[in-house]
Every structure is written in structure tokens, then in C-alpha cells.
Amino acid sequence: MARDSLLNTITVALVLCIVCSVMVSSAAVLLRPLQEANKKFDQQRNVLSAAGLDVAAMTATDIEALFHDESQIRRVLIDLDTGQPVDLKATEIDPASYDAKQAAKSPELSQPVQAAGGPTLGTPRREKYAFVYEMLTDGQIDLYVLPIYGKGLWSTLYGFLALDGDTRTVRGITFYEHRETPGLGGEVDNPAWKATWIGKQVSDQDGQVDFSIIKGRVDPQSQQAAHQVDGLSGATITSRGVSDAVQYWLGADGFGKYLQQQQSP
Ligand SMILES: Cc1cc2nc3c(=O)[nH]c(=O)nc-3n(C[C@H](O)[C@H](O)[C@H](O)COP(=O)(O)O)c2cc1C
């Protein structure tokens, strides 16, 4: 058979396709554990970053050790309906692999977002159970780090909100995933803007959620100033999405019941 016959060309192309697809799928399978480990590490860095720790100065080993030390950080699965910790032995949930994003898509592990008149998430369903991080000093909870998400202009923004042990005062905010426009909605990652959140109050004296990102600048003389953050200029839609997300996740349909129980355990 001639080397440049049609059959030869097709055979070589087919063999090449099969070899390449085997290589690509093997790489995907082999690298999956590494990808999962990197994802977990990135989440841990973001939890610590929201909590105000200087993660750039920490090694991977430091971070790993911190998350393994229950006297410093507790990762607790909360039933959002009751605000109570979930007994993991009584569920099928594997804490190592639980993915809230996937859970929000599963009919068994999610429920419709109740948004009648209240803040919206931009998604029809949300997970029933969510992991929170309780950071301890001398056996007392000093800080709560809560996972939050909400819809911006182009994407859903995923992040962590850190609250002081009083459950009202913001200690930090961070976003680890979004596709908002750099320079506009992407300014949610701007350290200067995130710094303006620190010390803000997310609820009033009665424990009702009282927090918003306003359009423009916060008037320091306003009585509401402690409960407001400046909007991102040219990114009102992203700002509103983040504001709604914070209100939702701190409210009764989010972590509201859990936070209330923390005040009067
Ligand atoms: C290319 C392009 C990208 C934009 N990206 C964002 C964005 O990431 N977030 C956002 O809220 N608005 C974004 N906007 C602006 C919105 O369309 C809208 O005008 C804006 O949210 C209104 O904010 P303002 O009232 O502060 O101007 C973008 C506009 C353009 C043309």
C-alpha cells in the first residue's frame, strides 16, 4: 500500500486522535486529586484572608496545620433551616468532598430561594446545609467566617464574610470567584474597597439585618453610616448584587438563625 494512500492517511489520523484523547483524559483523571487539593487550599486561604490574616506570609504547611487544629478553627456544617449544626454521622454528607455549589443544584440537598419582597440571590435554589468556620481564641469563638454568594452583572460572586464574635461587626470580606469586569465590578477585589467594610455593623440593636452598599459615597454624618459601604463606581449592578447577597445570607433564610443562636447559646 502506498504510504500516502487515502487509507494510510485516515489510519494515521485515527491513531493520532485515539492516542491524543487517551493522553488528555488520563491527564484529566490523574490531575483531578491535585486540582481538588488546590481548590481546597484556595478556599482555606480565602477564609483566612476574610478573617484578616496575612496569608501571603503563611506557608501551605502553616495553613494546613491551622485547619487541622480544632482549638483554632472549627469547620461546622449548619442546617440553614434550623441554624443548628448537622450531626454528620446521621447524614450521607462527606465533609471532605461536600460542595455547596453542587448541593445547590441537587433536589435533595437544596431548596427554593424564598425571595418574596426580600433580597434575592439571582439563583432559584440554594443549598440546605453550609459549612461555616468558627475561629477560636482560648476556647471562645472570636470570629465567624460565612460563605456567601450572589449574582452580579455577568456572574455569580462567591466569597466569605467574616464577622466578629459579637456576630454584628464585619472583620473582613473576600471574593474567590466571579467574572465581573476588571476595573468595574471586578473592583470587589480591590483591597482598599474591602478595607472600608471592616468595622461596619450588619445588624441593628434588635438583631435585624441592617446593611447595604449604597450608590455613591457614605455620608459619615449619617446615622446609617455604620451600616453602609460605598458603592463601586460604574458598577451599580455588581454592588447591588453583593449588597443583596450579604442581606440574604445574614437573614432568616441564610445564617440568621445560626447567628441568633450564637448570641444566646
Ligand atoms: C463593557 C462593560 C462592562 C461592564 N461591567 C460592569 C460590571 O462588571 N458591573 C457592573 O455593575 N456594571 C458594569 N457595567 C455597567 C453597567 O452596564 C451599568 O451601566 C452600571 O452597573 C451602572 O452603574 P453606575 O450607575 O454606577 O454607572 C459595564 C458596562 C460595560 C459597557
Side-chain angles (χ1 to χ4, degrees):
M1 187 168 48
R3 277 187 69 180
D4 56 356
S5 71
L6 181 63
L7 186 64
N8 235 356
T9 310
I10 291 174
T11 309
V12 169
L14 266 178
V15 169
L16 205 63
C17 283
I18 292 168
V19 169
C20 288
S21 53
V22 167
M23 278 167 62
V24 170
S25 31
S26 310
V29 171
L30 290 173
L31 291 176
R32 191 164 298 144
L34 196 65
Q35 283 172 346
E36 292 297 323
N38 280 341
K39 201 168 124 190
K40 185 176 155 202
F41 180 59
D42 184 58
Q43 294 257 316
Q44 292 176 335
R45 278 177 60 94
N46 274 283
V47 168
L48 298 181
S49 176
L53 273 76
D54 181 7
V55 283
M58 298 172 82
T59 65
T61 322
D62 292 340
I63 293 175
E64 174 118 39
L66 206 52
F67 278 89
H68 272 102
D69 182 353
E70 285 245 316
S71 71
Q72 297 203 67
I73 299 183
R74 284 198 303 239
R75 182 171 177 252
V76 187
L77 188 65
I78 302 297
D79 180 337
L80 296 175
D81 265 351
T82 62
Q84 290 284 322
V86 175
D87 178 6
L88 285 169
K89 290 186 206 94
T91 70
E92 306 254 298
I93 294 173
D94 170 15
S97 63
Y98 180 74
D99 181 346
K101 214 193 268 187
Q102 291 304 322
K105 292 180 193 152
S106 141
E108 296 83 43
L109 293 173
S110 70
Q111 65 184 51
V113 170
Q114 291 152 12
T120 68
L121 270 189
T123 55
R125 300 181 75 82
R126 65 124 171 95
E127 64 275 26
K128 285 183 184 166
Y129 310 108
F131 274 104
V132 301
Y133 297 84
E134 299 174 347
M135 300 184 69
L136 300 110
T137 305
D138 299 330
Q140 296 290 317
I141 301 176
D142 171 48
L143 203 141
Y144 299 91
V145 183
L146 312 173
I148 63 166
Y149 58 84
K151 186 89 176 67
L153 175 60
W154 309 113
S155 64
T156 300
L157 295 101
Y158 292 87
F160 290 107
L161 175 69
L163 296 180
D164 194 87
D166 68 3
T167 72
R168 295 185 62 209
T169 311
V170 176
R171 293 272 287 269
I173 178 94
T174 183
F175 294 94
Y176 60 88
E177 189 184 321
H178 68 79
R179 280 180 285 104
E180 301 300 278
T181 314
L184 295 171
E187 287 295 288
V188 291
D189 295 326
N190 186 328
W193 185 68
K194 291 192 291 183
T196 65
W197 285 61
I198 299 170
K200 295 289 176 180
Q201 303 287 300
V202 291
S203 54
D204 61 20
Q205 295 297 340
D206 303 327
Q208 297 301 310
V209 180
D210 184 0
F211 175 85
S212 57
I213 300 176
I214 62 162
K215 194 169 160 70
R217 291 194 157 261
V218 175
D219 173 5
Q221 307 302 325
S222 154
Q223 284 193 338
Q224 276 301 99
H227 300 273
Q228 294 174 335
V229 165
D230 294 350
L232 295 166
S233 59
T236 301
I237 298 168
T238 306
S239 303
R240 196 181 306 135
V242 174
S243 190
D244 283 353
V246 170
Q247 289 173 12
Y248 179 88
W249 287 108
L250 296 178
D253 290 336
F255 295 106
K257 295 189 189 82
Y258 162 71
L259 292 172
Q260 230 162 33
Q261 287 162 28
Q262 298 303 305
Q263 287 163 354
S264 49

